[in-house]
Amino acid sequence: MSLTPRTRKAGIAAGAAVFALTLAACSGGGDSDPSSSDSASDDAMSDEPITLTISTFNDFGYTQELLDEYTELHPNVTIEANVAATSNDARTNYFAKLGAGGLADVEAIEVDWMPEVMEYADLLADLTSADVDGRWLDWKTEAATDSEGRLVAYGTDIGPEAVCYNATLFEEAGLPTDPAEVAALLEGDWDTYFSVGQDYVDATGGAWFDSAGAIYQGVINQVAAAYEDPDTGELIAADNAEVADAFTMVTDASAGLSAHLSQWSDDWYAALANEDFATMLCPGWMLGVIQGAAPDSTGWNVADVFPGGGGNWGGSYLTVPADGENVDAAIEFAAWLTAPEQQLKALANAGTFPSQNSALEDETALNDAFASGDSPTKAEFFNTDSLGTIFSNRANAITVSPFKGSSYFDVNDIIQNALTRTEDGSQDPTTSWDQALSEIAALG
């Protein structure tokens, strides 16, 4: 989606030895068959040579090394992987071809598409299986289960959010640099985050955060029902005071604290590389983006804190179109990719934090995953050996699972565009908000 384009690949391969303990730890409890070498002889596949296609977007952590592991287990399978530049590109292609033909055997989707995807659940293969029962967090599974109880998507990652900060810039501002001290400094609500930001701006003249759109997303992900009534599906965004208040709070803060960048723009990536802002909200998948954009930086750290408590930003699934040529084999492949063992390797590759229960319960494995791969590993780049612990804590801090109906994506895109207009100076906040309300009303 436009809000979570993990567009830069870190190019880090997982070290197989690191996961030896994890493989043992995750092998029990009704979640082993699809991911084990024994599944190479699964009845779902014959020995006939086949080519499986998979389409993802940005960076799921599915390196060639990981895909090669599957083909070694299944010598008759050739895998062709396509990666869209952004999730918007992938979304457009997905809904244009779903049911009409032409999609890959395995298609990745983003959590914010789920309400629309579930409207066409009958066009997707039923992935329900005792082998994967209980694999994922309950809310992750519930979002991918249709009204008839069919599981139509396998969860990949979730996006528990922390605060990433540049310790070099913090030191220049006279602020603490130790992650625990920074977490204590930022503990509190959004006002606390903005107040510390004002201290930073007063001391340096630099920007506190990157983008109003990014901050708004963190805020709105803490609202249980922002845009639509969960019971009726009625569009309520224009009349919801929490949405208007969030827009006003963010635009007020943006005036003095933002770098005024459009997230995912070339200027935004350049600013990351040039260390032009001090903090940014960061779910686990953002770590790969930061590292990819600023490979020479030594200042980025992660604080175990988030304004207002906790929040989840993003996360994805794998689906299997029902009209594919290799549905059974595709289901087996998707089950293998989303097994805890493989998701931990994807975590090492791209920072995609697991949604699988057994992986989430293994703090050592999570920390080891962040510390594995080519140098600098995620752990080395972010100057800590406890990234797994941090994001596990952040996941446990999430108390709100926002309702996202079929209009969520469109409404959110309208408001994000409104924020961009205020950031680039083309409209004042009031004018831009009024235009957003008109566009929301036009949705019907």
Side-chain angles (χ1 to χ4, degrees):
M1 66 177 181
S2 61
L3 306 175
T4 61
R6 292 160 286 187
T7 55
R8 302 299 170 95
K9 294 184 178 181
I12 295 175
V18 172
F19 298 100
L21 179 62
T22 301
L23 284 165
C26 296
S27 63
D31 192 23
S32 57
D33 288 347
S35 59
S36 72
S37 59
D38 292 341
S39 65
S41 59
D42 193 289
D43 291 339
M45 293 180 58
S46 68
D47 293 332
E48 182 179 351
I50 63 169
T51 297
L52 288 177
T53 54
I54 177 170
S55 288
T56 61
F57 44 87
N58 309 316
D59 191 357
F60 274 63
Y62 297 159
T63 61
Q64 188 60 52
E65 181 182 7
L66 182 60
L67 299 179
D68 286 347
E69 285 188 35
Y70 191 77
T71 54
E72 289 172 6
L73 295 170
H74 302 75
N76 62 315
V77 175
T78 299
I79 296 173
E80 294 182 355
N82 175 64
V83 182
T86 71
S87 64
N88 267 350
D89 294 341
R91 179 176 179 272
T92 299
N93 181 70
Y94 188 82
F95 287 109
K97 296 179 178 176
L98 184 61
L103 288 175
D105 293 308
V106 177
E107 285 276 347
I109 61 173
E110 197 163 62
V111 63
D112 286 352
W113 314 356
M114 284 305 288
E116 293 171 275
V117 170
M118 297 309 289
E119 292 183 3
Y120 306 102
D122 59 328
L123 300 178
L124 298 171
D126 185 0
L127 308 183
T128 308
S129 168
D131 290 336
V132 299
D133 188 34
R135 174 179 285 185
W136 296 278
L137 292 166
D138 288 344
W139 60 266
K140 189 78 173 178
T141 299
E142 290 168 2
T145 303
D146 69 12
S147 58
E148 298 179 358
R150 300 164 67 248
L151 180 66
V152 298
Y154 286 157
T156 58
D157 62 315
I158 55 176
E161 293 197 85
V163 174
C164 287
Y165 68 99
N166 190 300
T168 302
L169 299 180
F170 268 50
E171 184 173 20
E172 292 174 3
L175 297 175
T177 58
D178 178 76
E181 294 180 3
V182 172
L185 178 71
L186 297 177
E187 183 66 40
D189 57 16
W190 289 98
D191 287 341
T192 300
Y193 175 70
F194 296 140
S195 176
V196 175
Q198 190 60 59
D199 292 341
Y200 173 83
V201 172
D202 290 345
T204 67
W208 175 239
F209 59 77
D210 54 339
S211 159
I215 299 301
Y216 174 83
Q217 197 60 46
V219 175
I220 209 66
N221 281 339
Q222 294 174 326
V223 177
Y227 303 147
E228 296 149 296
D229 187 311
D231 295 325
T232 65
E234 179 187 1
L235 203 56
I236 60 173
D239 299 320
N240 190 340
E242 289 184 282
V243 176
D245 290 347
F247 185 88
T248 299
M249 179 178 72
V250 171
T251 51
D252 285 351
S254 172
L257 305 181
S258 175
H260 305 298
L261 297 163
S262 178
Q263 203 169 33
W264 321 118
S265 66
D266 289 343
D267 287 345
W268 182 81
Y269 283 110
L272 253 178
N274 295 329
E275 302 183 330
D276 288 341
F277 49 84
T279 68
M280 59 189 297
L281 307 183
C282 59
W285 51 262
M286 188 67 83
L287 301 186
V289 176
I290 296 172
Q291 189 175 6
D296 299 325
S297 174
T298 59
W300 284 102
N301 288 254
V302 183
D304 188 357
V305 68
F306 191 73
N312 183 78
W313 184 9
S316 297
Y317 293 85
L318 298 182
T319 64
V320 176
D323 60 355
E325 295 182 1
N326 307 293
V327 171
D328 288 341
I331 291 174
E332 182 177 0
F333 179 40
W336 185 86
L337 277 174
T338 58
E341 297 89 334
Q342 279 63 253
Q343 190 60 47
L344 283 165
K345 295 174 185 177
L347 169 64
N349 296 336
T352 46
F353 199 72
S355 59
Q356 293 80 357
N357 286 313
S358 61
L360 290 170
E361 293 164 358
D362 193 338
E363 193 170 301
T364 299
L366 293 172
N367 284 327
D368 287 349
F370 277 118
S372 68
D374 294 337
S375 180
T377 67
K378 293 285 185 298
E380 291 168 340
F381 184 86
F382 289 95
N383 305 296
T384 179
D385 59 2
S386 60
L387 285 174
T389 302
I390 290 172
F391 283 101
S392 180
N393 290 341
R394 293 296 91 217
N396 289 328
I398 297 170
T399 58
V400 174
S401 180
F403 174 75
K404 298 181 178 180
S406 59
S407 297
Y408 177 88
F409 190 94
D410 291 333
V411 173
N412 205 57
D413 205 41
I414 288 171
I415 297 178
Q416 286 288 338
N417 290 335
L419 290 163
T420 297
R421 293 193 295 272
T422 68
E423 288 272 80
D424 65 18
S426 61
Q427 287 183 344
D428 63 75
T430 299
T431 303
S432 191
W433 176 246
D434 288 344
Q435 179 177 327
L437 292 180
S438 297
E439 292 173 353
I440 291 170
L443 293 177

